[in-house]
Amino acid sequence: MRDGFVKVAVATPELKVADCIFNMEQIKTKSLELAKAGARLILFPEFSLTGYTCQDLFLQDSLVEGALDALMKLAKETADLASVLLVGLPLEHRSRLYNVAAVVNRGKVLGLVAKSHLPNYGEFYEARQFAPWRGENSLHRLPNGQEVALGNKLIFQDQAMEEFSFAIEICEDLWVPAPPSADHAMAGAMIIANPSASDELTGKAYYRRDLVKNQSARTLSAYLYADAGEGESTQDMVFGGHNMIAENGILLAESKPFAGDKDLVTELDLKRLKNERRRMSTFDLGEKEGYAYISFDTGALEETLLSRKFEKTPFVPSSKSHRDERCDEILTIQAAGLAKRLKHTGCKSAVIGLSGGLDSTLALLVTVRAFDSLGLDRRGIECVTMPCFGTTNRTYDNAVALSRELGCNLREIKIEAAVRQHFEDIGHDIEVQDITYENGQARERTQILMDLANKTGGMVIGTGDMSELALGWATYNGDHMSMYGVNCSIPKTLVRYLVQYYAYTCSNSALQAVLEDVLDTPVSPELLPPKEGEISQRTEDIVGPYELHDFFLYYLLRCGFGPEKIFRLALYTFEGDYDKKTIYKWLDVFCRRFFSQQFKRSCLPDGPKVGTVSVSPRGDLRMPSDASNRLWREALDRIAGDLD
């Protein structure tokens, strides 16, 4: 459970209606298997000890007493397991019958959670046999004399890990307008477990899936859903065992209805959920009146082997259809932001430094879209190419072709003479190709763009992306500065997909060919002279692969993870792509530059936020420019010590 990961399981074992001993044996077998696989919490369906479809047999003493005896036997025969088991049964309490989920751990029944809302419509008639739980928690005496909590406001917490806490709502409780899980989450439950019996009807699985995902998102929780399966009676209903595990709106695992294997095992990242709740000030956490908090013991903290998938590019949707939809939405947000700024300032001209690289290409595409939305003539977009010492024919030709195919105005301004004069003015030897040599060119270009904007009554459109800003890979008061930065919250890995999307959705084949060549061009600031006509300065050779840096950036800012957890996830996710020392090297670079370069981000120009992460000093990242990185440095040193 190190780093907040807890392995959990949802299972629908074989079942015989009203055969409590058979069902208990199946649950025990499943529990042993899943516990051996590392599951610390194992959820079984509603009425898993009896079957959901017993109907009026629930009113028979033999079944009610048999289910309770099976529960006590299950607790005794799983006493050696550290895992927590959640099983369903009918329970008589003070002459009323309740639909409950029992929580079992290390040979004991820790609590009994009663269903709050009983369906009494269509094919469901639970209210005929059972009473809904109303009022405060109570105590129930088990056959062995033990008194345990009974009610619908129980939260169970692990002794060794504060974040490992769960509450239970049962089937129909999820389908009502105000599910109990909302209160459970606000009272501190990080996991919601739902033992359920939901029959299959046409289209119902889609609705059920949306309910689970949405409730996990609304409650900032992990949601475990165990559904009754084919062992139930088919007299009036058919059950398919539609099991699910969701985390904050994301479906981590699912067994489709009527699938063969219904066991789900995956890991929950409970520390991430805790961080999400910490960020949301409207999430009123704390111990709530009427709730009982019950501890359980699953053993000491240990490393949980990971099996769930983490995307290499967390800013980019993995599904192509979803990615296309997202790309169109992002381009629209960028263009809408720029259009508002142009309209507000009365500008009918935009000035873009067009290098022929990815970032400036995306900025131009967004600007074209903004102009089109305002009905402005694209000739008002001033594309400025400013060749100097490092410019290659390939990027120059692409810049020219882009402006031509998009119908914009192209202006070429050679800056070599001006830069040479500037070096002479400040006494810099042009043969010394250092940071002064590089930044002198970048600042000369920005000066030209700003002055042209004044001359044309226009606005300089920024081209730098979020990955560059996170690393401080921008010349202060050079490409760092603009009048509106349309790419400021677009990470480098996403820039590529946005340009790619534009390429294959446009109807201009010539434009498509240019965009494809831009996509094939190495990322470079082109500030050093080319070698044999080819780009000599490759950004990723200097600061590291952007797919790693964007991965680091996402988990640092979006999730609040420290270097050790980020390193662990990167090792797992990029296994076979990068070795340990390479990942450590670039994580070290990322952390060092992220802290040291904050001063560049503290004075960024305006620009539109398009996702859940941005580095704007006015929004997501309000960070002091002089913050110490000592704690992060110490974590990196611990990682380095383990590499030796």
Side-chain angles (χ1 to χ4, degrees):
M1 297 193 292
R2 186 169 66 85
D3 296 324
F5 289 109
V6 173
K7 195 178 290 289
V8 298
V10 172
T12 302
E14 187 180 351
L15 177 143
K16 290 183 180 179
V17 179
D19 191 338
C20 299
I21 296 302
F22 176 85
N23 298 336
M24 185 278 296
E25 291 292 345
Q26 298 303 309
I27 291 171
K28 181 180 75 172
T29 300
K30 281 288 185 189
S31 298
L32 294 173
E33 291 175 1
L34 295 169
K36 188 175 181 180
R40 297 294 186 101
L41 178 64
I42 306 171
L43 174 65
F44 295 98
E46 186 177 13
F47 287 127
S48 47
L49 284 171
T50 60
Y52 179 80
T53 50
C54 292
Q55 300 187 65
D56 282 354
L57 290 180
F58 281 126
L59 300 174
Q60 297 292 315
D61 288 345
S62 296
L63 185 62
V64 175
E65 293 168 4
L68 190 55
D69 289 342
L71 173 64
M72 303 308 295
K73 186 176 178 63
L74 176 68
K76 182 179 179 180
E77 296 189 9
T78 59
D80 292 336
L81 295 185
S83 306
V84 180
L85 314 180
L86 277 58
V87 297
L89 71 157
L91 182 79
E92 184 177 0
H93 179 74
R94 296 177 184 172
S95 301
R96 303 296 297 275
L97 202 58
Y98 295 99
N99 177 349
V100 304
V103 179
V104 178
N105 177 235
R106 295 191 182 275
K108 293 183 178 180
V109 177
L110 301 184
L112 299 159
V113 179
K115 192 170 183 176
S116 304
H117 302 89
L118 302 180
N120 197 28
Y121 55 85
E123 63 274 27
F124 294 98
Y125 300 100
E126 277 184 54
R128 176 183 172 93
Q129 299 97 14
F130 295 93
W133 186 267
R134 297 285 186 260
E136 303 299 319
N137 295 330
S138 183
L139 290 175
H140 181 80
R141 184 181 297 276
L142 296 173
N144 62 1
Q146 176 191 0
E147 286 193 336
V148 298
L150 167 65
N152 57 9
K153 292 185 177 181
L154 306 181
I155 293 181
F156 301 85
Q157 298 177 313
D158 185 74
Q159 294 177 8
M161 181 179 169
E162 178 187 354
E163 296 86 2
F164 186 7
S165 62
F166 69 87
I168 300 169
E169 64 181 9
I170 302 175
C171 198
E172 185 74 10
D173 289 342
L174 171 63
W175 299 68
V176 300
S181 50
D183 289 332
H184 296 340
M186 299 291 269
M190 204 67 73
I191 302 169
I192 306 298
N194 187 328
S196 182
S198 180
D199 65 330
E200 293 307 322
L201 302 171
T202 302
K204 190 175 182 180
Y206 297 99
Y207 185 68
R208 186 189 300 123
R209 184 184 300 113
D210 286 343
L211 276 179
V212 168
K213 289 170 59 179
N214 290 337
Q215 194 63 6
S216 75
R218 287 166 57 85
T219 56
L220 293 177
S221 70
Y223 203 103
L224 278 57
Y225 187 92
D227 192 19
E230 292 95 320
E232 296 286 352
S233 170
T234 59
Q235 182 177 3
D236 291 303
M237 296 178 286
V238 176
F239 296 85
H242 186 193
N243 295 336
M244 290 170 279
I245 300 176
E247 181 184 282
N248 194 18
I250 303 298
L251 201 61
L252 300 181
E254 177 183 20
S255 66
K256 299 294 178 64
F258 307 108
D261 186 4
K262 297 177 180 61
D263 295 350
L264 304 179
V265 181
T266 191
E267 302 81 42
L268 306 177
D269 190 346
L270 299 181
K271 282 191 180 295
R272 178 173 182 179
L273 290 173
K274 182 188 73 172
N275 291 346
E276 290 290 333
R277 291 182 176 187
R278 186 169 61 195
R279 292 165 182 265
M280 187 173 288
S281 60
T282 54
F283 205 90
D284 184 22
L285 281 168
E287 293 193 359
K288 302 297 182 183
E289 185 178 353
Y291 273 87
Y293 295 82
I294 302 167
S295 67
F296 59 88
D297 177 19
T298 60
L301 294 180
E302 59 184 31
E303 183 159 328
T304 301
L305 293 178
L306 299 178
S307 62
R308 62 185 282 187
K309 183 180 180 182
F310 296 89
E311 296 293 341
K312 292 181 179 179
T313 53
F315 291 106
V316 182
S318 55
S319 161
K320 184 180 182 302
S321 60
H322 190 194
R323 188 165 62 238
D324 288 352
E325 180 182 348
R326 184 74 59 84
C327 285
D328 188 69
E329 182 181 26
I330 290 170
L331 289 168
T332 300
I333 293 171
Q334 289 177 277
L338 177 57
K340 168 62 179 178
R341 182 56 54 91
L342 290 168
K343 186 176 182 180
H344 176 74
T345 57
C347 288
K348 293 181 172 56
S349 169
V351 179
I352 300 176
L354 191 61
S355 67
L358 269 176
D359 288 346
S360 63
T361 296
L362 176 58
L364 175 57
L365 298 176
V366 169
T367 305
V368 165
R369 196 160 174 156
F371 267 57
D372 289 350
S373 71
L374 293 172
L376 297 177
D377 186 350
R378 291 186 183 184
R379 300 293 296 176
I381 303 174
E382 194 89 3
C383 298
V384 187
T385 177
M386 294 167 280
C388 197
F389 309 128
T391 305
T392 60
N393 290 336
R394 182 180 189 180
T395 54
Y396 171 81
D397 291 343
N398 281 339
V400 172
L402 276 171
S403 58
R404 180 183 64 244
E405 295 302 329
L406 288 167
C408 305
N409 189 45
L410 176 66
R411 184 190 296 259
E412 180 178 337
I413 301 175
K414 293 182 172 63
I415 66 170
E416 185 173 329
V419 173
R420 287 180 183 275
Q421 180 62 53
H422 176 61
F423 287 163
E424 183 178 332
D425 293 341
I426 66 173
H428 180 73
D429 184 353
I430 198 168
E431 298 302 320
V432 179
Q433 296 176 0
D434 59 4
I435 192 69
T436 303
Y437 178 90
E438 295 185 31
N439 286 349
Q441 299 170 68
R443 291 195 178 99
E444 178 64 25
R445 286 176 170 134
T446 300
Q447 173 184 264
I448 289 171
L449 295 175
M450 291 289 182
D451 291 344
L452 271 177
N454 290 155
K455 187 174 185 297
T456 61
M459 178 178 294
V460 176
I461 309 302
T463 61
D465 62 62
M466 183 168 65
S467 304
E468 293 176 342
L469 293 170
L471 292 165
W473 188 250
T475 299
Y476 195 90
N477 205 35
D479 53 308
H480 157 261
M481 192 47 60
S482 67
M483 295 172 181
Y484 196 77
V486 293
N487 295 341
C488 66
S489 66
I490 311 291
K492 185 73 78 176
T493 49
L494 183 56
V495 171
R496 179 170 297 277
Y497 282 97
L498 291 168
V499 173
Q500 189 178 67
Y501 169 77
Y502 201 105
Y504 72 72
T505 56
C506 73
S507 57
N508 184 333
S509 59
L511 174 59
Q512 184 177 32
V514 178
L515 293 175
E516 288 173 351
D517 195 61
V518 170
L519 288 163
D520 288 337
T521 304
V523 177
S524 171
E526 290 195 315
L527 296 172
L528 294 180
K531 293 180 180 177
E532 299 179 355
E534 297 296 325
I535 291 172
S536 63
Q537 188 183 24
R538 296 179 181 238
T539 299
E540 292 182 291
D541 292 341
I542 303 169
V543 295
Y546 276 116
E547 66 174 346
L548 283 180
H549 286 310
D550 284 356
F551 187 87
F552 302 153
L553 177 63
Y554 179 84
Y555 285 105
L556 179 80
L557 290 188
R558 180 66 182 87
C559 305
F561 293 167
E564 288 162 304
K565 186 168 182 178
I566 294 173
F567 180 71
R568 180 186 178 189
L569 293 182
L571 283 182
Y572 175 72
T573 303
F574 292 97
E575 184 179 7
D577 296 328
Y578 303 98
D579 60 29
K580 285 185 177 182
K581 291 188 176 180
T582 301
I583 292 175
Y584 172 79
K585 171 186 175 182
W586 297 122
L587 179 59
D588 181 72
V589 168
F590 175 84
C591 290
R592 174 171 51 79
R593 293 189 66 98
F594 181 79
F595 276 87
S596 67
Q597 302 293 297
Q598 171 61 22
F599 72 97
K600 294 181 181 177
R601 299 188 292 268
S602 291
C603 57
L604 286 177
D606 291 349
K609 178 182 176 181
V610 302
T612 56
V613 177
S614 85
V615 293
S616 168
R618 297 166 297 277
D620 287 37
L621 187 61
R622 304 188 184 190
M623 174 179 169
S625 298
D626 306 309
S628 169
N629 70 347
R630 178 174 178 172
L631 296 174
W632 289 262
R633 182 69 263 163
E634 289 174 351
L636 287 164
D637 290 343
R638 289 193 294 270
I639 297 171
D642 293 336
L643 292 179
D644 297 335

